[in-house]
Amino acid sequence: MTTKLLDKIQALKTQCNAVILAHNYQPDEIQDLADFAGDSLGLSIQASQTDAEVIVFCGVRFMAETAAILSPDKKVLMPEPKAGCPMADMITAGQLRDLKQQYPEALVVCYVNSSAEVKAESDYCCTSSNAVAVVNSLPADKQILFVPDQHLGRFVQERTGRDMVLWPGYCSTHVLIAENDVKEARRRYPNAVVMAHPECSEPVKELADELLSTGQMLKFAQASRATEFIVATEIGILHALEKVRPDAEFIPASIRGVCPNMKKTTLAKLVAALENMQYEITVPPEIADKARRSLERMVEIVPKD
Ligand code: SF4
């Protein structure tokens, strides 16, 4: 059955001149069939450079919106349009406008995990892999409003020493990974390297050896001599890690690190997306034109790591 669906997807993909992009948190079988699987920065760059006419985005809504903004001439489809991101919903454009009124001189940096409307109100956009580089590129005398993730914001503040106002948003999946989970995993695997995503809570990050985006985790594990890694992020990344280091053991810091929205994509929904050209994700031009400015700045700043 699975082989039949995979064959069908390949045939439909060629017929429609489509490219399939999948986030590192997608189900294993979706990552495996994608033309490109990666983190938000890598996926945004792919979306902005592809020659395909159709982009099928296997991820959550803000990612498909980002692709639609960066590639306005392409058709962007999401197999499951209800896959949203609770963090992205934690700030509205109206709330950001109010914040800007309180700090009229500040620059706004928004995490890519935000709505198109919030991006349109922002000066710069960033992902977890280039947030430090983006903030470091801004004039030193400028205060920065960072939205919506307080945990990534605090990480950037510590790395850059910048004056930042943090919006109190968070990832509802990463905060489920508790300090005690990491301590317990460390007790069982005392020689393991602990890698944590900057979206984790501060006590979890305190316990980590390395703070890395998912793309950076893959590069780090590939270059490391260690053979055991405790991984504090969404568990979908374990599949990609095992592919780049088949000789190593990757231990999830917590089995609660599962993003239900990322798991909504299925092979059957992917077939339906290609067969029926559904579900198209569009962004109103007046919002997209403003949001594109902050997103283009984001894809231009690729950190050297
Ligand atoms: S893992 Fe967190 S930030 Fe990522 S899509 Fe899920 S809820 Fe949003």
Side-chain angles (χ1 to χ4, degrees), residues 2-303:
T2 303
T3 318
K4 263 192 175 173
L5 287 176
L6 290 175
D7 290 346
K8 203 163 184 185
I9 289 167
Q10 289 307 332
L12 285 164
K13 208 181 72 174
T14 313
Q15 200 180 308
C16 313
N17 188 14
V19 65
I20 299 177
L21 304 182
H23 191 268
N24 285 328
Y25 295 160
Q26 285 289 292
D28 299 356
E29 64 278 17
I30 303 292
Q31 292 188 39
D32 287 344
L33 67 75
D35 295 292
F36 180 84
D39 63 7
S40 293
L41 184 59
L43 292 167
S44 302
I45 293 170
Q46 291 290 327
S48 66
Q49 294 176 349
T50 182
D51 292 331
E53 286 168 64
V54 177
I55 299 172
V56 184
F57 215 109
C58 302
V60 293
R61 194 174 184 93
F62 75 79
M63 297 177 175
E65 281 182 353
T66 298
I69 295 165
L70 287 171
S71 289
D73 306 333
K74 318 273 178 196
K75 192 185 269 292
V76 178
L77 305 176
M78 257 186 103
E80 173 48 74
K82 291 200 192 85
C85 168
M87 182 204 284
D89 296 336
M90 287 181 191
I91 186 165
T92 63
Q95 286 172 311
L96 180 52
R97 277 193 290 274
D98 290 347
L99 187 68
K100 282 163 65 173
Q101 274 191 350
Q102 285 177 53
Y103 300 92
E105 299 300 320
L107 288 173
V108 179
V109 177
C110 79
Y111 190 19
V112 70
N113 300 32
S114 51
S115 67
E117 289 79 5
V118 164
K119 290 183 177 84
E121 290 290 335
S122 302
D123 298 300
Y124 289 81
C125 200
C126 70
T127 71
S128 53
S129 60
N130 72 356
V132 170
V134 167
V135 168
N136 270 333
S137 75
L138 305 181
D141 60 334
K142 283 285 187 187
Q143 191 177 36
I144 292 155
L145 308 181
F146 191 90
V147 302
D149 185 15
Q150 60 181 301
H151 299 296
L152 177 64
R154 210 158 285 127
F155 163 76
V156 175
Q157 199 172 31
E158 280 167 16
R159 292 274 163 115
T160 62
R162 295 297 297 265
D163 178 9
M164 291 169 67
V165 176
L166 309 180
W167 189 257
Y170 58 89
C171 164
S172 43
T173 294
H174 281 83
V175 297
L176 296 178
I177 303 170
E179 188 183 353
N180 276 343
D181 294 328
V182 182
K183 284 185 177 162
E184 176 56 20
R186 254 217 201 280
R187 196 188 57 72
R188 287 189 291 125
Y189 297 89
N191 299 320
V193 177
V194 179
M195 304 190 290
H197 193 279
E199 284 177 24
C200 288
S201 67
E202 277 57 50
V204 166
K205 284 188 285 196
E206 287 282 308
L207 294 170
D209 298 307
E210 301 290 338
L211 297 178
L212 303 163
S213 70
T214 56
Q216 290 166 339
M217 283 183 189
L218 290 165
K219 286 187 195 156
F220 178 81
Q222 212 163 8
S224 170
R225 287 192 181 173
T227 53
E228 291 177 340
F229 299 85
I230 294 164
V231 185
T233 188
E234 212 279 346
I235 61 167
I237 189 64
L238 295 181
H239 182 63
L241 285 166
E242 281 157 3
K243 282 198 329 199
V244 297
R245 278 292 307 277
D247 61 311
E249 189 174 0
F250 295 95
I251 303 108
S254 167
I255 52 161
R256 288 188 298 277
V258 179
C259 175
N261 285 288
M262 282 286 184
K263 306 307 183 207
K264 285 181 177 162
T265 319
T266 62
L267 293 177
K269 287 179 193 174
L270 198 42
V271 169
L274 286 162
E275 269 179 344
N276 308 318
M277 288 288 110
Q278 65 190 30
Y279 294 91
E280 188 170 0
I281 303 299
T282 55
V283 177
E286 62 281 12
I287 304 283
D289 289 344
K290 285 169 83 184
R292 194 172 301 117
R293 199 190 41 174
S294 58
L295 278 168
E296 282 175 350
R297 288 170 170 171
M298 175 185 89
V299 291
E300 278 163 16
I301 301 177
V302 179

